[in-house]
C-alpha cells in the first residue's frame, strides 16, 4: 500500500515516482522493472522509495487509483459520460502504457475492487451488481475504443453507450 502524503514535497516526490515508472514502462516491460531500477533512474537511494511505498506495485496502484478517482468524478458527480470519455482521451498516454504492458485489464479489476470495498460486510445489493456490470461494460468500451485508436468521436461513443444502456 502506498502512503498518503500531506506535504507538498512528499506529494511531488510520489508524483515523480509515478511519472518515472510510466516512462520506464514505455521502454521495458513492467515485469522487468525493479525498485532498484526505478531509484537508479531517479538518482535517489532505495530507502527514499520506502518512505512512500512498500512495493513497486504500490506505485502502479497509486497511478490507477488517481486515474479512476478522477475519471469517476464525471460519473458520480455530474453523470457526464462525455466528460468521462474526454478525461480518458486526455489520458491516452496512460492507456497506451498500460496496453503496451498488458495491464489494461487492471482498470476493470481496480474499479471492481473500489466497489466491493464500499461494502464492509462483503454483500452486494442488486443495485451494486448492476453498477458493477455497467462499470465493467464501460471500461470494455473504453479499452476497445482506445485499441482502435480512438477514431470515433467522444460524441459517437457517448451515443453508443446511451443506446446500449437505453439511457436516452
Amino acid at each position: 500500500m502506498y502512503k498518503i502524503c500531506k506535504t507538498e514535497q512528499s506529494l511531488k516526490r510520489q508524483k515523480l515516482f509515478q511519472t518515472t515508472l510510466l516512462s520506464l514502462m514505455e521502454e521495458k516491460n513492467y515485469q522487468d522493472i525493479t525498485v532498484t531500477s526505478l531509484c537508479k533512474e531517479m538518482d535517489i537511494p532505495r530507502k527514499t522509495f520506502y518512505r512512500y511505498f512498500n512495493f513497486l506495485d504500490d506505485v502502479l496502484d497509486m497511478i490507477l487509483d488517481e486515474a479512476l478517482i478522477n475519471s469517476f468524478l464525471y460519473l458520480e458527480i455530474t453523470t457526464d459520460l462525455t466528460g468521462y470519455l474526454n478525461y480518458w482521451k486526455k489520458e491516452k498516454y496512460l492507456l497506451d502504457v498500460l496496453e503496451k504492458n498488458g495491464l489494461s485489464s487492471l482498470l476493470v479489476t481496480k474499479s471492481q475492487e473500489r466497489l466491493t470495498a464500499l461494502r464492509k460486510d462483503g454483500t452486494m445489493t442488486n443495485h451494486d451488481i448492476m453498477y458493477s456490470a455497467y462499470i465493467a461494460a464501460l471500461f470494455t468500451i473504453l479499452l476497445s475504443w482506445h485499441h482502435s485508436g480512438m477514431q470515433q468521436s467522444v460524441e459517437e461513443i457517448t451515443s453508443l453507450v446511451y443506446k446500449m444502456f437505453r439511457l436516452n
Side-chain angles (χ1 to χ4, degrees):
M1 182 72 184
Y2 53 86
K3 292 153 180 90
I4 305 300
C5 295
K6 294 182 176 129
T7 68
E8 188 175 331
Q9 181 180 351
S10 294
L11 292 169
K12 284 181 182 179
R13 181 64 57 95
Q14 280 185 318
K15 192 52 127 177
L16 184 58
F17 277 110
Q18 293 174 31
T19 56
T20 305
L21 177 61
L22 289 173
S23 177
L24 284 173
M25 288 171 65
E26 281 184 272
E27 300 167 17
K28 56 172 117 172
N29 194 310
Y30 176 73
Q31 303 304 328
D32 299 329
I33 300 170
T34 63
V35 170
T36 301
S37 64
L38 179 64
C39 291
K40 185 176 179 183
E41 183 71 20
M42 294 175 64
D43 195 28
I44 60 166
R46 281 175 49 104
K47 69 180 181 176
T48 302
F49 174 88
Y50 294 108
R51 283 188 207 146
Y52 305 100
F53 306 98
N54 294 324
F55 305 100
L56 187 64
D57 286 350
D58 295 342
V59 182
L60 184 59
D61 282 345
M62 184 175 218
I63 293 167
L64 296 174
D65 284 347
E66 286 179 3
L68 289 171
I69 288 167
N70 290 334
S71 69
F72 282 139
L73 286 176
Y74 290 101
L75 299 177
E76 293 174 3
I77 295 172
T78 65
T79 63
D80 180 7
L81 188 57
T82 302
Y84 172 84
L85 292 169
N86 276 322
Y87 171 83
W88 284 109
K89 191 168 189 173
K90 187 182 81 172
E91 292 296 323
K92 184 180 179 305
Y93 169 74
L94 174 58
L95 294 172
D96 291 343
V97 172
L98 290 173
E99 184 173 316
K100 178 189 176 293
N101 286 272
L103 300 173
S104 299
S105 63
L106 285 178
L107 290 169
V108 178
T109 305
K110 292 283 291 174
S111 66
Q112 298 300 324
E113 286 173 5
R114 279 182 63 78
L115 180 62
T116 54
L118 296 175
R119 296 285 179 185
K120 303 276 186 241
D121 61 2
T123 63
M124 291 184 71
T125 66
N126 288 344
H127 180 268
D128 294 336
I129 293 168
M130 188 170 63
Y131 185 71
S132 178
Y134 173 73
I135 294 301
L138 197 53
F139 272 111
T140 301
I141 292 165
L142 171 69
L143 295 175
S144 295
W145 181 47
H146 173 259
H147 189 70
S148 71
M150 295 183 163
Q151 296 172 12
Q152 301 86 351
S153 70
V154 167
E155 292 74 20
E156 288 174 303
I157 299 299
T158 300
S159 176
L160 172 72
V161 172
Y162 286 165
K163 285 178 188 172
M164 271 180 66
F165 292 102
R166 297 180 184 176
L167 297 174
N168 70 353

